[in-house]
Amino acid sequence: FGWRKKFAGRTVLTHNLARLRWEDQKSWVQAWNVEALTDKFYEDLVKCFETIREKTTHPNPEKARDYAQTLLNRLLFIAFIERFEWLKTPEGDSDYLFALYNREREQPFLELLDLLFFSGLDSPNGIGGKDALYPILGEVTYLNGGLFSRDPDLDRAGVEIPDEVFNVLL
């Protein structure tokens, strides 16, 4: 068996490899049992959602929960496509969200995400080397699916989330 290096992440390191010690050959089958891993994923997902929900200020308080869920869905999808290197920072880093978050910037991270979502991922041309947003966002591929389309009820001016929330999530 083997893993490609770029896909050797948290699952392999924290779930699979720990069960593959020579002296524990009886537990090798459990290295690929996804039930415990799935439970842990959803436990972590709920914690992330609650963190976003608790810290989100939305102009319409009744929409704050929906906004938090949509934001989490968008971030999860980006984390998924990062593995295929569909997004790259201007410096060429494909660990996109983490690199973007840790870069020196003037605006809050949520504003940067708004640019990414609505001017990049939802723009039929995406963002390439000659675009005005390239120095800020890097290479961004257009995703035609609606997840990154602006929702007028949720994606409104006045939404605030402290940057520290993203530090926890990323």
Side-chain angles (χ1 to χ4, degrees):
F1 65 89
W3 292 281
R4 289 183 288 170
K5 185 176 181 179
K6 70 179 181 179
F7 292 114
R10 182 174 175 197
T11 301
V12 170
L13 298 175
T14 64
H15 185 72
N16 301 99
L17 289 181
R19 291 186 162 91
L20 295 177
R21 292 181 302 222
W22 185 255
E23 61 272 9
D24 293 332
Q25 291 179 33
K26 291 179 184 179
S27 72
W28 284 6
V29 172
Q30 292 301 313
W32 284 269
N33 180 347
V34 297
E35 188 173 325
L37 183 62
T38 301
D39 290 346
K40 177 67 174 142
F41 172 79
Y42 282 108
E43 181 182 309
D44 290 346
L45 188 65
V46 167
K47 286 180 186 174
C48 287
F49 171 75
E50 291 300 328
T51 300
I52 295 170
R53 188 185 58 76
E54 289 171 6
K55 301 292 184 177
T56 297
T57 303
H58 195 278
N60 180 350
E62 294 176 9
K63 294 292 184 179
R65 181 178 181 86
D66 293 340
Y67 179 85
Q69 185 64 62
T70 300
L71 178 62
L72 185 58
N73 292 346
R74 289 169 174 165
L75 293 173
L76 279 171
F77 193 79
I78 291 171
F80 172 73
I81 66 171
E82 281 180 342
R83 291 179 162 224
F84 301 102
E85 298 182 1
W86 289 0
L87 303 169
K88 289 186 181 174
T89 65
E91 299 79 25
D93 196 334
S94 60
D95 188 5
Y96 189 82
L97 285 175
F98 188 75
L100 210 58
Y101 178 77
N102 284 313
R103 188 184 317 134
E104 194 69 35
R105 62 186 187 284
E106 297 291 320
Q107 74 271 46
F109 190 61
L110 186 59
E111 290 179 17
L112 198 58
L113 288 177
D114 281 353
L115 286 174
L116 173 64
F117 297 162
F118 311 123
S119 298
L121 295 167
D122 194 44
S123 174
N125 295 322
I127 297 174
K130 297 182 182 200
D131 292 300
L133 287 175
Y134 179 82
I136 300 168
L137 297 174
E139 291 179 37
V140 178
T141 303
Y142 169 57
L143 299 175
N144 182 14
L147 180 60
F148 297 98
S149 296
R150 189 178 296 278
D151 181 326
D153 290 334
L154 301 179
D155 302 307
R156 300 172 49 185
V159 174
E160 294 180 13
I161 301 175
D163 275 1
E164 307 84 63
V165 170
F166 297 103
N167 190 40
V168 172
L169 295 177
L170 300 176

